[in-house]
Amino acid sequence: MTAPGPEPDDVPGLEPGGSVPPGDTPPDAGQTSGLSHPQPMPSRALPARWLAAVAILVLVVAAFFVLRALDWF
C-alpha cells in the first residue's frame, strides 16, 4: 500500500531518509477518512421495545420454573 501523498523522491525539501529539515513543513496529503455527511441519530424506541420484550420473556420463563417447582404446572 502506498501513501496517499506525492512520491517522497519527487518532493523538494526532504533530506536523505525522508526527514524534513527544521523550519520546513511536510507536503500535504489528501484525507482518506471521515464522514461525508452527518449521520442521523438512531431511534431509541426500538431498543426500548426489545428490552421490554426480553424482560417479559424472562419473567414468563421465571414464572414457569417457579410454578414447576411448586408442582402447580
Side-chain angles (χ1 to χ4, degrees):
M1 183 170 193
T2 61
E7 290 296 323
D9 296 337
D10 298 336
V11 178
L14 288 181
E15 294 179 342
S19 64
V20 180
D24 204 358
T25 58
D28 287 335
Q31 184 174 352
T32 58
S33 66
L35 299 175
S36 60
H37 54 83
Q39 298 294 312
M41 291 297 294
S43 172
R44 295 182 62 93
L46 187 61
R49 290 181 190 155
W50 276 109
L51 184 61
V54 169
I56 290 170
L57 181 65
V58 167
L59 289 175
V60 167
V61 170
F64 170 77
F65 282 111
V66 167
L67 293 175
R68 181 84 171 158
L70 295 175
D71 211 16
W72 290 359
F73 205 42

